[in-house]
Amino acid sequence: MTLLTPIEKTLINGWQNGFPLTSNPYAQIADEMNVSEQTVLDILVSLKQRGILTRVGAVVRPNTIGASSLVAMAIEPDRLEEVADYICSIPQVNHNYERENKLNLWFVVTASSKSEVDEILHKIENHTGLKTIKLPLEKAFHIDLGFNI
Amino acid sequence: MNMHIKVTTDDKDRALLAAIQDGLPLCERPFAEIGKVTNMSEEQVIARIEHMRQQGIISRFGLVLQHRPLGYRANAMVVWNVPDQEVDEAAKIITAHDFVTLCYCRARRAPVWQFNLYCMIHGQQRSIVEQQIETIKSAGLAPYPSKTLFSLRRFKQTGARFSTTPENERRLG
């Protein structure tokens, strides 16, 4: 596990939400943390290089723009990697995990419309010869607001 | 939280989301940089992001992290089959636990998949996550059939992609 310095923890715990929407956001964060803007930028670059930070940006609520669905597939173990690699190559796939179940591949398709989601699933079924199980969101009770470390 | 939020967006909002999907630049004036690629002023970029945040299209804006390099490798998706009329009450019980990261209701797919209520728990140790799941069950979810699916390999994780191709923009409009 990657170790974090106290200042990295402060940045991570403080700014997963409520990022300043101002001209100089990193300078504003730096002010509140009592460090220089360059320090904040250097930490963000370092977190990114270490694979901890994906991006500074927006998390978009599902189904407010375009359409998306969770999809599950049951894949023979000896084909799992091949199928998973193919699915990762589809730009509209934005999460793809192996999970402990007969349905062992779980991914999210996000596209401009419901019909485009269906087209992509159809393409996957044709390419792999396997069924896709579409599990669209009906209601969100709790959404990702970041986490404390 | 209801997913049926009334939203007003236009092509410029979508272009903006596409421009920031790989992250805000790490420089002094990041919104000005985004403005250059989207043909907007810095003020317009900020105003549109603020507007999308207020409307709930953007659920949060800030650092987006990977759980795994931070040691959160025990990632469980727990699913339940809860009668439709009891889903809201069951979700209330689940989300009362602060270790729950996400909680969703999804369509069932009988006969292969009869589960409709989902929650995600990201933990550092499998044994602790298993105890947390037991805690939820004891709090009232025990009567419902459930399954726990820990994640094994992560093949891909990025933010949602917003296409900027002209063809897609037409379809979106």
Side-chain angles (χ1 to χ4, degrees):
Chain A
M1 157 175 179
T2 315
L3 292 174
L4 296 171
T5 64
I7 187 168
E8 287 172 337
K9 279 192 186 174
T10 306
L11 187 62
I12 285 176
N13 286 332
W15 304 101
Q16 288 173 62
N17 198 2
F19 186 85
L21 299 179
T22 58
S23 291
N24 303 291
Y26 303 112
Q28 188 175 323
I29 292 172
D31 271 359
E32 293 194 32
M33 290 176 61
N34 247 328
V35 296
S36 71
E37 180 177 20
Q38 196 53 50
T39 303
V40 170
L41 291 170
D42 289 346
I43 291 173
L44 291 171
V45 169
S46 164
L47 290 173
K48 197 153 193 199
Q49 283 167 350
R50 284 143 69 197
I52 296 166
L53 177 70
T54 309
R55 65 186 189 280
V56 175
V59 174
V60 175
R61 192 185 297 261
N63 297 344
T64 49
I65 288 192
S68 68
S69 184
L70 180 68
V71 183
M73 292 176 77
I75 302 166
E76 293 295 319
D78 60 349
R79 283 196 67 193
L80 181 60
E81 254 179 70
E82 166 224 322
V83 174
D85 284 350
Y86 163 69
I87 285 166
C88 289
S89 76
I90 300 168
Q92 291 92 342
V93 169
N94 57 297
H95 284 243
N96 189 12
Y97 280 87
E98 177 188 9
R99 293 195 177 278
E100 287 175 352
N101 193 265
K102 187 167 181 288
L103 291 171
N104 54 354
L105 195 67
W106 292 76
F107 54 94
V108 176
V109 176
T110 304
S112 56
S113 63
K114 279 183 183 174
S115 62
E116 197 189 347
V117 171
D118 289 341
E119 280 168 33
I120 291 163
L121 297 190
H122 192 67
K123 191 174 84 174
I124 291 171
E125 293 191 344
N126 278 344
H127 182 93
T128 61
L130 299 167
K131 272 209 173 125
T132 59
I133 296 164
K134 188 170 73 163
L135 301 161
L137 183 72
E138 291 190 332
K139 195 170 180 183
F141 296 103
H142 186 66
I143 51 168
D144 168 30
L145 293 174
F147 62 107
N148 263 302
I149 50 151
Chain B
M1 256 167 281
N2 201 310
M3 60 172 278
H4 301 289
I5 297 163
K6 261 202 177 157
V7 295
T8 51
T9 56
D10 57 20
D11 288 348
K12 281 193 170 175
D13 287 331
R14 295 187 188 100
L16 194 50
L17 289 174
I20 62 171
Q21 67 191 356
D22 292 319
L24 215 55
L26 302 176
C27 63
E28 279 180 31
R29 305 279 292 268
F31 298 111
E33 292 300 313
I34 295 297
K36 284 181 197 162
V37 295
T38 52
N39 279 321
M40 293 178 215
S41 69
E42 183 183 43
E43 293 74 24
Q44 285 171 322
V45 169
I46 291 172
R48 280 178 178 273
I49 292 175
E50 182 61 52
H51 182 66
M52 287 191 279
R53 186 151 82 173
Q54 279 169 7
Q55 284 194 308
I57 297 166
I58 293 175
S59 55
R60 70 177 171 98
F61 197 104
L63 276 65
V64 182
L65 306 165
Q66 294 281 359
H67 290 93
R68 289 187 176 221
L70 292 170
Y72 291 79
R73 287 166 190 281
N75 156 350
M77 180 174 86
V78 191
V79 295
W80 282 274
N81 182 6
V82 178
D84 292 346
Q85 66 275 15
E86 292 165 37
V87 160
D88 286 4
E89 195 52 42
K92 216 180 271 175
I93 296 170
I94 293 171
T95 56
H97 297 87
D98 59 6
F99 50 76
V100 170
T101 329
L102 296 161
C103 182
Y104 288 139
C105 177
R106 297 185 179 277
R108 296 184 186 84
R109 287 285 175 255
V112 282
W113 194 251
Q114 70 271 40
F115 304 100
N116 61 332
L117 188 58
Y118 293 61
C119 84
M120 299 292 310
I121 303 172
H122 294 87
Q124 297 188 330
Q125 274 181 52
R126 187 173 174 129
S127 58
I128 291 172
V129 173
E130 281 166 346
Q131 280 170 22
Q132 290 170 330
I133 295 165
E134 288 310 310
T135 305
I136 295 177
K137 288 182 181 170
S138 314
L141 271 288
Y144 307 112
S146 77
K147 260 193 175 38
T148 298
L149 291 81
F150 276 96
S151 68
L152 298 171
R153 271 175 288 180
R154 181 188 75 208
F155 292 112
K156 188 175 189 179
Q157 186 181 8
T158 63
R161 311 304 291 177
F162 298 94
S163 173
T164 49
T165 63
E167 190 205 344
N168 270 327
E169 279 188 0
R170 271 202 305 278
R171 276 155 71 175
L172 283 162

